[in-house]
Amino acid sequence: MKVAIFLALALVALSSGRETGLRHFKGYKVFSALTTTRDQLEALRVLFFSDEYDFWTTPNGLGVTDIMAAPEQIAQLVEVLEQHGMNYTIKFNDVEKLVEEEREANTRAFSGRIDWVSYPNYAAILDFLTTINSNIATVSVIGQTTEGRDIHVVKISSGGPPKKSILIDSNIHAREWIAGATGTWIINELITNADTYAGILEEVDIYVIPMINADGYEYSRTNDRMWRKTRSVNPGSSCMGCDPNRNFRFMWGGESTSPDPCSDIYHGTGPFSEPETQAIENFVLASEAAGVQFLAYMTLHSYANMWLLPWGYTGGVYPPDFPAQLSLGQAAIAALRAVSGTIYETGQGADLLYGVGGASDDWAKDHGIKYTATIEMRGNSFVLPPEQIIPNSREVWAGLQVVIQRVIETVPVEEDPTPVETVTTCGGEVEASSARINFQLDATIPAGQTCIWVVKPTFDRTRVNLVSSGLLFGSGIYFTEFNAYSGTPGNQVEIVNVGEDYILSGNFFLVTLTVGTGPNQGFSLDWYSSGLAGGPPAFSGFAALTTPTGSYSYPVGGGQYGNSENALFIVSPETAGARTLTFTRMDVENDSSCSYDAVSVLTWVNNQYSQIARFCGNSLPTPFSLPTGLALVTFTSDSSVTGTGFGFSWA
């Protein structure tokens, strides 16, 4: 089999110029193009998806994008940039010089063994892994690459039964050498300073996969420094390899992927078509079957100075526990910055960088691993000087220790024996581990009455129990999960039967009471949260507006709204009756599909929240009829271009 693979590789090499010898980059330039308008951004995205250029960073929001152009492409690229009025600078005038300087520095420093002052070859990495001699480290082979190289995982543990665990992977992309160097540095740090980490290792097991894409890594060292993919053979194509970080099952074939084997973002023939990605999936499944509980999955990449959170497959979608993900990301980059001053950003991956289908971190999150992140490490190119290996590793390790501490603190919590808070008003905001809503127990509720309670459970599992109810047919109580970051409703459950338990997941709910015909008697409802801490969402703007009539303006106090905002305004008058919602001013970034910044209006229709409008720009929409008097006004903004916001009234 290995002979057959070798012959196939040789045939492909003969059929493609880029597959033979050492690829040179003489005359290649890297342009930093600045987009300040949406039209400019769209022009860059057309170039990106043409696969004609090597985009070192991806055009997502407005700002700077790095693009490498071959000598014969430079005139065309400059023409496109100038046609669209884009300012640009030449970041690297000769990529060959950049690569050669790295090669020379690495050759001078490399001793033949891993030393973290140079980038080692796979043989040195293999020697390091197979000669580890430590009572806290176990090295295992979890699979082989296409070309037969072993893929290793190192388990760092104080021993005993499986503990809560974190998995760190490295070098899934071949040219990102700093990823593998950081992975091996972390292993060495834990082994050589075992006493320092004894307390951590009493609580958690740490697994590190230091080199996933060994074939691609070696090829990037010997043939093509900018090689990104694996080295698998693609039947019917002279182009080799697959982007392994587009090859995982979750959202496979989605954004920023390609069906073209010649593309750097080729997603493969199907999910887990590559032996490298199969090895990761098989390892996780086998470990869990043996009792391992992975609570964190961190994947090391370069370059962007970003700590990217789920979901990453598209912009504007967030897992229910995103507040917990965000608070962890913020704490991690603060610890990282404290080491040497390196500044990172954190946030939802596609919002900050670009949407990616079939990525490892989203697959891990979808699989059930609570905390996941892609760490795009320091640098202004894929060629990070070897003298930065140790400084980079130290700061990333500081961030990862925050993740480990969060894993240690992530302990399932039991329910309170009785509710810790009681609410008796029509609507209100409750942030607690449990609560009871007693509404009009000794009085009647008039026909047409509506109420909304904002419920923020402390933990991620909520049990709801209707203790008593005098509601008549046609009236109802509904728990609606609400995603604070996309401004959209999620799963909804009607609470109908007294004494029955209803189980929900999430950290933010709208509890809606609607009363049909005739006066109804009141009700008593308990909810209890348990499980893992999630944390309530952080809104950039929030208000529960309960007066019979009124007006509201955002931002409060005037001025410009900010980037990456998420705001929710609940119109829920305390007296029954239909209302009209009228917008009185609008200044929100405009585009034809309102895909950047937008105001949305949702109302209660057929016992659920439905979006009736989404708009942006400066034009005032026509007034909205609210038959039940209820409305949700949501606002989201992206990472650039702002305005003075909006105002509305209800009467």
Side-chain angles (χ1 to χ4, degrees):
M1 175 61 74
K2 288 186 178 179
V3 172
I5 290 174
F6 175 80
L7 290 173
L9 293 174
L11 289 171
V12 172
L14 289 172
S15 66
S16 175
R18 286 184 59 177
E19 300 293 338
T20 59
L22 179 64
R23 183 186 180 193
H24 291 281
F25 297 91
K26 187 172 181 59
Y28 282 67
K29 299 181 187 297
V30 175
F31 290 76
S32 292
L34 175 65
T35 56
T36 58
T37 69
R38 298 297 177 184
D39 288 342
Q40 292 173 344
L41 177 61
E42 186 57 33
L44 279 193
R45 290 186 66 78
V46 169
L47 278 186
F48 172 72
F49 286 110
S50 74
D51 278 327
E52 294 179 14
Y53 297 89
D54 187 349
F55 275 72
W56 284 17
T57 60
T58 303
N60 185 33
L62 302 183
V64 175
T65 300
D66 292 344
I67 312 162
M68 185 175 76
E72 64 273 15
Q73 296 176 311
I74 290 172
Q76 178 187 359
L77 177 60
V78 169
E79 182 180 357
V80 171
L81 298 180
E82 292 181 348
Q83 278 181 349
H84 290 86
M86 279 181 256
N87 292 325
Y88 63 87
T89 59
I90 297 177
K91 187 173 189 176
F92 297 111
N93 193 51
D94 188 355
V95 176
E96 179 73 14
K97 181 180 178 182
L98 179 71
V99 171
E100 188 58 33
E101 287 175 349
E102 179 198 48
R103 184 180 295 117
E104 291 175 356
N106 209 50
T107 300
R108 286 194 303 270
F110 185 48
S111 63
R113 298 180 62 84
I114 284 188
D115 51 17
W116 299 284
V117 295
S118 64
Y119 292 105
N121 56 26
Y122 175 76
I125 296 171
L126 184 63
D127 180 64
F128 167 72
L129 294 173
T130 55
T131 58
I132 287 175
N133 182 16
S134 169
N135 60 4
I136 65 167
T138 304
V139 183
S140 304
V141 175
I142 62 171
Q144 281 78 37
T145 65
T146 294
E147 295 177 353
R149 293 180 174 90
D150 286 340
I151 303 170
H152 299 83
V153 66
V154 180
K155 176 185 178 182
I156 311 294
S157 172
S158 62
K163 298 185 280 290
K164 291 183 289 187
S165 299
I166 175 174
L167 176 59
I168 303 166
D169 79 36
S170 314
N171 246 124
I172 198 166
H173 284 144
R175 63 187 176 186
E176 298 169 12
W177 293 3
I178 186 60
T182 302
T184 54
W185 185 93
I186 290 170
I187 294 168
N188 186 67
E189 172 70 10
L190 286 163
I191 292 172
T192 57
N193 295 295
D195 290 345
T196 302
Y197 304 109
I200 286 176
L201 296 177
E202 286 299 319
E203 303 286 343
V204 297
D205 294 334
I206 301 171
Y207 295 81
V208 183
I209 305 175
M211 178 58 63
I212 295 172
N213 185 6
D215 295 349
Y217 177 75
E218 276 299 282
Y219 190 79
S220 73
R221 292 178 56 85
T222 59
N223 291 67
D224 182 350
R225 179 61 183 87
M226 294 303 149
W227 188 259
R228 170 185 172 93
K229 301 188 289 182
T230 62
R231 295 293 298 163
S232 55
V233 176
N234 294 312
S237 174
S238 62
C239 297
M240 295 184 65
C242 160
D243 183 340
N245 206 40
R246 305 294 187 274
N247 193 237
F248 288 78
R249 189 178 310 282
F250 185 71
M251 295 297 170
W252 180 85
E255 293 181 19
S256 299
T257 71
S258 173
D260 180 4
C262 295
S263 170
D264 267 352
I265 52 175
Y266 174 51
H267 53 46
T269 57
F272 297 113
S273 63
E274 304 303 290
E276 294 86 355
T277 57
Q278 290 173 26
I280 295 174
E281 181 192 39
N282 292 340
F283 168 69
V284 169
L285 295 178
S287 298
E288 290 174 337
V292 174
Q293 182 188 17
F294 290 112
L295 285 174
Y297 182 106
M298 303 284 120
T299 178
L300 305 181
H301 290 251
S302 76
Y303 64 100
N305 289 47
M306 290 182 178
W307 196 286
L308 304 175
L309 308 173
W311 296 110
Y313 67 87
T314 194
V317 294
Y318 309 85
D321 65 348
F322 186 73
Q325 305 284 339
L326 183 59
S327 69
L328 177 55
Q330 291 168 337
I333 66 171
L336 185 154
R337 183 177 183 178
V339 175
S340 53
T342 306
I343 298 174
Y344 273 54
E345 291 182 83
T346 189
Q348 195 259 30
D351 288 351
L352 283 184
L353 202 57
Y354 52 90
V356 174
S360 65
D361 56 345
D362 271 5
W363 166 79
K365 180 63 177 172
D366 179 66
H367 180 69
I369 299 175
K370 183 168 179 60
Y371 299 111
T372 63
T374 291
I375 305 170
E376 294 280 356
M377 296 181 289
R378 64 156 68 182
N380 66 351
S381 79
F382 299 112
V383 182
L384 188 69
E387 60 266 25
Q388 293 196 41
I389 294 173
I390 292 175
N392 175 80
S393 299
R394 284 175 173 161
E395 66 192 19
V396 170
W397 177 233
L400 288 172
Q401 287 181 78
V402 174
V403 176
I404 293 169
Q405 187 59 41
R406 178 68 66 89
V407 167
I408 292 171
E409 295 168 357
T410 300
V411 179
V413 175
E414 299 295 323
E415 291 182 356
D416 297 321
T418 57
V420 298
E421 290 192 19
T422 300
V423 180
T424 60
T425 56
C426 176
E429 187 175 350
V430 188
E431 183 175 339
S433 55
S434 60
R436 169 169 290 180
I437 299 174
N438 285 340
F439 185 60
Q440 297 293 84
L441 288 180
D442 299 318
T444 59
I445 309 173
Q449 179 68 63
T450 57
C451 304
I452 301 177
W453 291 269
V454 176
V455 170
K456 302 177 181 179
T458 307
F459 306 106
D460 62 2
R461 178 185 183 274
T462 298
R463 178 175 66 88
V464 181
N465 186 277
L466 188 60
V467 179
S468 64
S469 175
L471 298 179
L472 302 177
F473 180 78
S475 302
I477 306 167
Y478 302 85
F479 261 72
T480 306
E481 180 189 345
F482 193 83
N483 193 308
Y485 296 92
S486 61
T488 55
N491 295 329
Q492 178 174 287
V493 174
E494 183 179 6
I495 311 302
V496 179
N497 299 320
V498 172
E500 182 176 341
D501 287 333
Y502 299 84
I503 307 300
L504 305 95
S505 297
N507 296 103
F508 188 87
F509 298 95
L510 301 178
V511 181
T512 306
L513 167 69
T514 62
V515 177
T517 58
N520 286 229
Q521 298 298 311
F523 67 90
S524 179
L525 177 149
D526 292 347
W527 60 264
Y528 302 86
S529 67
S530 61
L532 302 179
F539 288 101
S540 57
F542 176 82
L545 308 169
T546 60
T547 57
T549 63
S551 62
Y552 194 83
S553 183
Y554 187 77
V556 176
Q560 301 274 122
Y561 62 79
N563 293 324
S564 304
E565 291 220 8
N566 61 305
L568 170 65
F569 310 105
I570 301 173
V571 178
S572 176
E574 58 192 4
T575 56
R579 300 292 195 281
T580 298
L581 182 71
T582 304
F583 278 78
T584 54
R585 69 178 187 88
M586 275 290 298
D587 180 29
V588 171
E589 181 189 5
N590 189 41
D591 78 286
S592 59
S593 60
C594 295
S595 57
Y596 304 123
D597 301 355
V599 177
S600 297
V601 176
L602 298 87
T603 189
W604 187 257
V605 179
N606 297 325
N607 293 325
Q608 63 181 3
Y609 289 104
S610 298
Q611 181 176 294
I612 58 174
R614 179 180 173 87
F615 44 94
C616 56
N618 302 101
S619 299
L620 296 177
T622 57
F624 302 101
S625 175
L626 309 177
T628 62
L630 296 183
L632 307 179
V633 178
T634 70
F635 172 65
T636 56
S637 66
D638 71 350
S639 59
S640 58
V641 184
T642 63
T644 59
F646 54 92
F648 58 87
S649 63
W650 65 98

